[in-house]
Amino acid sequence: MDMENAGPLGNGLGQLPDPVTSATVVVDARGTVTGWSTGAQRLLGYPYEDVVGRPAKRLLGWNADAMADFSEVLEGRSRTTSLRHQDGHPMEAELQAYPSLDREGNAQWLVVATPPQQTRPRQEPHPYEGEATAEEAFAQCHLPVMIYDAELRALRGSAGAALELGLTEGKMRGLRVTDILPPHICTTVEEGMRRVFETGEPELFHVHGRPRRGAHDRFWAVTVSPLRNAAGQVRHVQLIALDVTEQHRSRERLALLNDVSTQVGSTLDVAHTAQEMADVAVGRLADFISIDLLDSLFRGVEPRPSVEGSVALRRAAQRSVLPGIPESVIQPGDVDYYPESSPPARCLVTGRSSLHRTLDEAINSWQTADPQRAVKVRAFGMHSIMVVPLRARGITLGVAVLVRHRRQEPFDEDDLLLAEEIAARAAVAVDNARRFTRERTTALALQRSLLPQRLAAQEAVEVAYRYLPARSRAGLGGDWFDVIPLSGARVALVVGDVVGHGLRASATMGRLRTAVRTLADVDLPPEELLVHLDDLITHLRTEEGTATDSELEIVTDLIATCLYLVYDPVSRRCTAAGAGHPPPAVVAPDGTAEFIDLPVGPPLGMGGLPFEAVEWEVPRGTLLALYTDGLVEVPEHDLGKGMALLRRRLERPARSLEALCDDLVQTLLPAQPSDDVALLVARTRALDTGRVATWDLPPDPAAVAGARGEVSRLLANWGLDEVAFTAELVVSELVTNAIRYGGPPIQLRLIRDTVLICEVSDGSSTAPHMRRARIFDEGGRGLLLVAQFADRWGTRHLPGGKSIWAEIGIQNERS
């Protein structure tokens, strides 16, 4: 072995000191301690956690002279200086530094401190005392340090290297790395040493593996540095291996916790949130994980404290490193029953986690009570188990069971702490999802109670509808629709949308729908009805003030949009007005579709702006489509493109209106709509001329008898003799009232629909009202009689006057 120019790493001289008293410290280029051996702790009293990361000069109490000595040590000269013990007393120690690189390739020094020997026998003083001290320091160094020659064979090995490799220095001499370490480590290390011999530049790389048989996997930061002779030639290389296993595991734990924070809770679905936790933990902490939750969580119900006895939990999520999750005994969504003595049951009751080996009494008892699970434990060689509660707001929501069967290392206390932290973060997300489910269910129940439970009977149109609540964190919106029968066999179709989400939007929607029904009963024209709704929104805003979203801190005003359309099956005409709402689509019987060019009215709540109505005629069988913007304005495309797509889909033939609704929902909407959607489609019908009769009457009381006779003959032709008396009485009173209190022109109209409709119109705009007649009054009882004999009655204002109508129930169906 060529030891020429080996310098301080040559053959040792003098008496070797006691290895217990030597200390090894790693100091970076800034003078900060980055490594601290157990020998250093014994020598100076400072524990590892109090030293690493602190300046060496402040820790050891060095003055300017001591720092000058330390600078000479770093330059390669041994020096005796004064150090400060933890208890404060000074002590002399001899220092020797060895240069190396940290994991980022920055310079650092391995400093070996040895106290002077009290009784150090010498035959004679040696002129090279520094060399003897360096030899002693190298031999006793607790860090793995190796010296290799140009053939990559070991020349020297420190005590730390011998300890890690399980070989004495004598047995290591002459061996190559391939003779000692596993193949994947050998390749990395030898390639690094060859490059250092070629370039003369130090290198840093990281390896992991088992340094010897029976040891655990370790992570190492390996520095290979050149050792030059006096001529500057690289004759040897020095290899220093720092064990960074704990640092590596700490980084892995931090990365895992960071992934839990960013990846768990991406949705507000209880099962999906639990599955996200399982996906993050498996492969990085456990080989198999199952997460079981209390069944009430899936319904959004507040979980109750656990009671003793057998525990029923629903499998929310599971994951394995093996395909198909063969370790599981149940599937997600199934309920599993845990014996009272099993660790999961105790965990649910106590709220405390536990760490087990499969040989533990608790696990053996569990396997005895659950043979099916015991078979899985033996089949897959499960050897280490953690049972961790999912707790949030002081309530245990469920239990996570983590298992190792592929990794040989069992779980330790650090793993349990990590699992508890993961479970705690996931539990908050699960509880948020549970609370969202509860609040959404409440809001949805409120919203559905405010929407039509079933549509009122009417014969003017055939209708179908869809309502889809939003599936977003913003909550439910304020979309609504309605079908309202009107006088004269007409029908009103309504869709609206309150801007915003949540209970406030739903409650406002309910108030608007009630107001629309009330105003529709008054038979207001569409444009006038929207004016009254606009006033209502203004009053509501004044009452409520401005609402603030507590989460987003966004101030929102009360604004809504609405489309109100009236269809008359007698005249086959539509009248519509809109307030900031998308226009209705009209599909002719030949299949061509278009959007009605409605004047763009302002949204409700803007205040003081007029609305305009549009009237047009539609053939029998025309399709009308009313919708909210959630149907056509989605993240995938804007409003214009959505309306174009809607028109194309409406032009496609459909088997029925229900099938058409399904097609529009499936083709226009994403799987998870971000906004509420209300869709109402109606196919128009028309009343034949044989079911409508009209008479123009003179303003003469003698015309009343003639009107009764015409009505009697018509009802006989229609086969409605059973209501002839009632109809004659109602017509007589309405015509008399029009002649006496109204003005020309006077017209009588009978419509045979699901009911018999009697209408009398006149040129006066004065609305009649009922009054109680005195005993000797000759009149004043007409409308009172109408109200008693008719099912419904009312007044409708017309452009040139008014119409008083009454509906009389009939028995036979329409022919």
Side-chain angles (χ1 to χ4, degrees):
M1 180 174 60
D2 183 7
M3 294 300 293
E4 180 183 357
N5 294 318
L9 298 177
N11 294 323
L13 299 174
Q15 176 73 21
L16 294 177
D18 184 358
V20 177
T21 62
S22 62
T24 305
V25 185
V26 180
V27 180
D28 65 12
R30 295 175 297 178
T32 301
V33 177
T34 59
W36 189 258
S37 69
T38 55
Q41 180 174 345
R42 287 194 298 267
L43 180 64
L44 297 175
Y46 296 98
Y48 176 88
E49 57 271 14
D50 292 347
V51 176
V52 172
R54 299 180 59 186
K57 63 179 181 180
R58 183 183 306 173
L59 174 70
L60 303 178
W62 284 334
N63 54 27
D65 294 338
M67 288 304 299
D69 293 343
F70 184 60
S71 297
E72 293 185 2
V73 170
L74 298 183
E75 292 174 0
R77 294 190 290 275
S78 175
R79 179 71 63 178
T80 300
T81 186
S82 177
L83 305 179
R84 185 180 63 189
H85 194 273
Q86 185 185 29
D87 59 15
H89 78 271
M91 59 182 301
E92 296 293 322
E94 196 163 14
L95 303 182
Q96 178 69 41
Y98 301 92
S100 65
L101 298 177
D102 63 13
R103 68 188 62 175
E104 284 80 23
N106 301 317
Q108 65 178 14
W109 288 271
L110 175 65
V111 181
V112 180
T114 306
Q117 300 299 311
Q118 298 296 327
T119 57
R120 184 172 172 179
R122 292 196 209 180
Q123 298 294 332
E124 58 184 21
H126 196 282
Y128 302 105
E129 184 65 25
E131 296 184 18
T133 302
E135 168 63 26
E136 295 165 358
F138 179 86
Q140 300 174 59
C141 178
H142 291 277
L143 292 178
V145 181
M146 298 287 293
I147 307 297
Y148 288 89
D149 61 15
E151 296 180 357
L152 306 185
R153 296 189 178 277
L155 300 177
R156 295 295 312 274
S158 67
L163 178 64
E164 291 296 340
L165 298 176
L167 298 173
T168 64
E169 183 181 18
K171 291 184 177 180
M172 286 189 288
R173 287 195 181 108
L175 296 180
R176 296 182 57 167
V177 177
T178 53
D179 300 325
I180 303 175
L181 297 178
H184 71 281
I185 300 180
C186 299
T187 302
T188 303
V189 172
E190 287 201 338
E191 287 179 353
M193 288 193 294
R194 288 193 182 96
R195 286 193 299 269
V196 172
F197 271 112
E198 294 172 359
T199 65
E201 297 294 331
E203 287 203 10
L204 169 70
F205 44 87
H206 294 82
V207 298
H208 77 277
R210 300 179 182 180
R212 65 181 184 279
R213 182 177 300 178
H216 294 306
D217 273 355
R218 309 282 287 278
F219 291 83
W220 306 88
V222 178
T223 302
V224 179
S225 305
L227 296 179
R228 304 177 185 273
N229 59 14
Q233 299 172 329
V234 179
R235 300 294 304 275
H236 307 96
V237 292
Q238 171 186 262
L239 185 149
I240 300 177
L242 294 179
D243 187 351
V244 293
T245 303
E246 287 305 317
Q247 295 91 321
H248 177 82
R249 289 178 178 172
S250 297
R251 288 195 300 270
E252 282 189 328
R253 291 187 176 100
L254 289 175
L256 179 55
L257 290 178
N258 179 69
D259 289 344
V260 170
S261 300
T262 58
Q263 298 178 22
V264 178
S266 62
T267 69
L268 289 172
D269 180 84
V270 172
H272 192 276
T273 300
Q275 188 61 52
E276 288 174 334
M277 172 187 169
D279 293 342
V280 171
V282 165
R284 302 169 68 176
L285 179 61
D287 297 326
F288 168 75
I289 181 173
S290 64
I291 301 175
D292 299 324
L293 301 176
L294 295 171
D295 187 58
S296 58
L297 293 176
F298 296 87
R299 303 189 304 274
V301 179
E302 183 80 16
R304 297 181 178 180
S306 304
V307 296
E308 296 184 357
S310 179
V311 175
L313 295 174
R314 188 174 296 278
R315 179 62 50 86
Q318 57 189 19
R319 186 68 184 270
S320 170
V321 295
L322 302 178
I325 318 179
E327 306 98 321
S328 177
V329 296
I330 62 172
Q331 296 301 314
D334 295 342
V335 175
D336 199 2
Y337 295 87
Y338 291 94
E340 180 180 1
S341 60
S342 65
R346 291 203 305 270
C347 175
L348 194 68
V349 173
T350 63
R352 293 192 294 269
S353 57
S354 57
L355 177 62
H356 304 276
R357 300 297 296 270
T358 51
L359 299 178
D360 294 351
E361 181 180 351
I363 301 300
N364 285 330
S365 176
W366 185 13
Q367 294 184 68
T368 302
D370 192 345
Q372 186 181 8
R373 191 169 266 110
V375 171
K376 297 286 187 178
V377 171
R378 292 190 295 270
F380 293 96
M382 301 179 184
H383 59 84
S384 190
I385 298 173
M386 290 191 296
V387 182
V388 183
L390 274 69
R391 290 180 57 83
R393 298 187 300 113
I395 300 175
T396 303
L397 309 176
V399 177
V401 178
L402 297 88
V403 177
R404 278 185 180 173
H405 54 72
R406 285 297 178 264
R407 291 193 194 186
Q408 294 185 0
E409 299 84 0
F411 291 120
D412 55 23
E413 292 296 333
D414 288 341
D415 294 324
L416 185 62
L417 291 174
L418 178 60
E420 290 175 339
E421 181 65 23
I422 294 173
R425 299 189 185 190
V428 173
V430 168
D431 190 56
N432 288 340
R434 190 270 310 172
R435 297 172 68 182
F436 170 79
T437 301
R438 181 191 61 189
E439 293 174 4
R440 187 175 185 278
T441 301
T442 302
L444 187 59
L446 170 63
Q447 191 175 46
R448 290 197 182 279
S449 69
L450 298 174
L451 290 172
Q453 302 302 305
R454 62 176 181 271
L455 298 181
Q458 49 79 37
E459 289 294 317
V461 292
E462 176 193 1
V463 296
Y465 61 89
R466 292 291 183 273
Y467 171 74
L468 282 77
R471 296 290 298 177
S472 69
R473 298 191 179 203
L476 299 176
D479 292 20
W480 91 92
F481 67 93
D482 211 343
V483 178
I484 308 172
L486 300 177
S487 63
R490 298 168 305 136
V491 66
L493 306 177
V494 193
V495 289
D497 183 4
V498 178
V499 176
H501 295 81
L503 290 176
R504 178 172 180 257
S506 297
T508 304
M509 173 270 290
R511 300 175 76 170
L512 287 180
R513 177 173 175 262
T514 301
V516 169
R517 278 193 160 267
T518 302
L519 296 171
D521 284 342
V522 185
D523 258 325
L524 291 179
E527 66 274 18
E528 292 187 25
L529 183 142
L530 293 181
V531 170
H532 286 279
L533 283 184
D534 184 58
D535 292 339
L536 174 61
I537 290 288
T538 302
H539 293 321
L540 290 178
R541 184 189 298 122
T542 303
E543 292 177 2
E544 298 180 1
T546 303
T548 303
D549 191 316
S550 59
E551 292 184 359
L552 302 178
E553 296 298 329
I554 297 176
V555 178
T556 58
D557 284 334
L558 194 58
I559 297 176
T561 67
C562 183
L563 175 64
Y564 186 82
L565 184 149
V566 175
Y567 170 66
D568 186 345
V570 177
S571 64
R572 291 184 286 105
R573 298 189 69 81
C574 286
T575 307
H581 203 87
V586 178
V587 184
D590 62 2
T592 59
E594 64 176 346
F595 293 101
I596 297 299
D597 187 15
L598 282 181
V600 181
L604 302 175
M606 303 301 291
L609 298 175
F611 300 94
E612 297 182 37
V614 171
E615 185 175 348
W616 71 97
E617 185 175 346
V618 295
R620 182 199 303 264
T622 298
L623 185 70
L624 305 172
L626 287 72
Y627 52 92
T628 56
D629 59 358
L631 180 70
V632 291
E633 190 172 13
V634 296
E636 287 74 12
H637 52 71
D638 58 15
L639 179 63
K641 186 177 292 185
M643 292 180 64
L645 180 60
L646 171 62
R647 183 173 61 183
R648 290 196 299 270
R649 300 306 300 184
L650 287 173
E651 291 179 340
R652 295 169 61 92
R655 298 188 308 274
S656 64
L657 295 185
E658 294 292 338
L660 176 62
C661 288
D662 290 338
D663 177 72
L664 295 178
V665 168
Q666 293 171 5
T667 57
L668 271 65
L669 294 178
Q672 299 290 329
S674 59
D675 194 7
D676 285 18
V677 174
L679 171 64
L680 179 64
V681 294
R683 192 178 303 280
T684 63
R685 295 169 177 157
L687 292 178
D688 298 332
T689 56
R691 299 174 58 193
V692 180
T694 304
W695 298 272
D696 293 323
L697 304 176
D700 184 354
V704 175
R708 286 200 301 266
E710 294 291 344
V711 168
S712 179
R713 285 188 291 272
L714 178 64
L715 294 181
N717 292 334
W718 283 352
L720 298 178
D721 295 315
E722 74 276 4
V723 297
F725 174 78
T726 303
E728 290 178 20
L729 186 149
V730 169
V731 166
S732 177
E733 294 299 334
L734 292 181
V735 172
T736 300
N737 197 70
I739 295 174
R740 180 176 298 178
Y741 301 107
I746 299 174
Q747 187 180 75
L748 168 64
R749 185 170 73 164
L750 260 62
I751 301 173
R752 180 187 175 188
D753 195 25
T754 54
V755 294
L756 178 65
I757 303 172
C758 304
E759 294 182 341
V760 176
S761 59
D762 63 74
S764 173
S765 59
T766 303
H769 61 278
M770 287 192 301
R771 64 184 178 87
R772 183 174 296 278
R774 296 179 178 88
I775 296 176
F776 298 104
D777 287 348
E778 296 181 1
R781 300 180 178 84
L783 291 182
L784 182 61
L785 290 174
V786 171
Q788 294 296 319
F789 282 90
D791 294 345
R792 290 199 314 151
W793 77 277
T795 302
R796 180 170 74 252
H797 289 274
L798 303 174
K802 67 177 181 298
S803 174
I804 304 176
W805 55 269
E807 294 180 355
I808 302 172
I810 57 179
Q811 298 296 323
N812 60 319
E813 297 181 353
R814 175 170 58 93
S815 59

